[in-house]
Amino acid sequence: MRTIAACFLSGLAIVVLGCAPREEATIPEKVTTALETCFAHHDPEGCAALYMEDAEITEPRATTVRGRAAILQYFKEQIVPDLLMFTDTQVNLVQGTLGVVEGTYRIRNLNTRTIVEDGEYLNVLRNRNGEWEVFRSFLIPRHASGAEVSVSPSAEPTQK
């Protein structure tokens, strides 16, 4: 399933950038690390401000979060003082006013010194008036400590 999702995200990046005008560049590092920085400062408002008003955050087996107000609530629930997020950008492409940043993320519990979640991400950004904003975020967790696991084929996995 993870392979299918990764192929889908990579294909989506190619389609998105293939439709944009040809102007090669990359998104500045301060933009690609801004979410990590806001997370470290326990700033859900700052995190939400990185997203366009009509942005979406999508995770498999979770409800898609739509709109900046819902994204703010999402970050208020996700950001807690004992957690830090680390990202590793592996793809950073820009063509015209569209950009794609893809990589991996880890969320670490500072008290237990353990990784409580890790996975892959893909962000689609738009540049309006010289400012990059996230338009779509796709998160694919590989490991999340709150996940319930069942061997029953009829049971759907859930998040606590």
Side-chain angles (χ1 to χ4, degrees), residues 16 136 145:
V16 167
R136 295 288 186 267
S145 63

Side-chain angles (χ1 to χ4, degrees), residues 18-45:
C19 296
R22 301 280 177 201
E23 182 182 308
E24 300 297 326
T26 59
I27 296 171
E29 184 177 2
K30 72 175 189 168
V31 175
T32 63
T33 60
L35 185 62
E36 188 176 332
T37 301
C38 289
F39 204 96
H41 289 102
H42 314 297
D43 181 8
E45 290 82 7

Side-chain angles (χ1 to χ4, degrees), residues 33-48 50-51 74-87 105-110 116-117 139:
T33 60
L35 185 62
E36 188 176 332
T37 301
C38 289
F39 204 96
H41 289 102
H42 314 297
D43 181 8
E45 290 82 7
C47 289
L50 301 171
Y51 288 78
Y74 171 83
F75 282 116
K76 283 182 176 180
E77 294 169 4
Q78 298 294 318
I79 297 174
V80 295
D82 298 338
L83 300 180
L84 276 182
M85 178 177 25
F86 303 93
T87 59
Y105 71 93
R106 291 172 292 132
I107 299 176
R108 182 180 179 124
N109 182 314
L110 298 175
V116 296
E117 182 175 316
L139 303 172

Side-chain angles (χ1 to χ4, degrees), residues 1-15:
M1 181 61 143
R2 194 174 69 205
T3 303
I4 292 170
C7 290
F8 168 76
L9 293 177
S10 295
L12 177 66
I14 292 168
V15 169

Side-chain angles (χ1 to χ4, degrees), residues 70-144:
I71 289 171
L72 173 59
Q73 185 58 38
Y74 171 83
F75 282 116
K76 283 182 176 180
E77 294 169 4
Q78 298 294 318
I79 297 174
V80 295
D82 298 338
L83 300 180
L84 276 182
M85 178 177 25
F86 303 93
T87 59
D88 180 22
T89 299
Q90 297 162 351
V91 175
N92 183 339
L93 302 171
V94 171
Q95 289 185 351
T97 60
L98 290 178
V100 173
V101 177
E102 181 179 1
T104 58
Y105 71 93
R106 291 172 292 132
I107 299 176
R108 182 180 179 124
N109 182 314
L110 298 175
N111 291 329
T112 63
R113 297 183 180 197
T114 58
I115 302 297
V116 296
E117 182 175 316
D118 70 321
E120 300 171 49
Y121 72 90
L122 182 133
N123 290 328
V124 179
L125 296 94
R126 287 190 178 162
N127 190 321
R128 287 199 284 183
N129 303 318
E131 296 294 323
W132 288 102
E133 292 179 293
V134 181
F135 177 62
R136 295 288 186 267
S137 282
F138 301 91
L139 303 172
I140 304 172
R142 285 189 290 247
H143 166 265

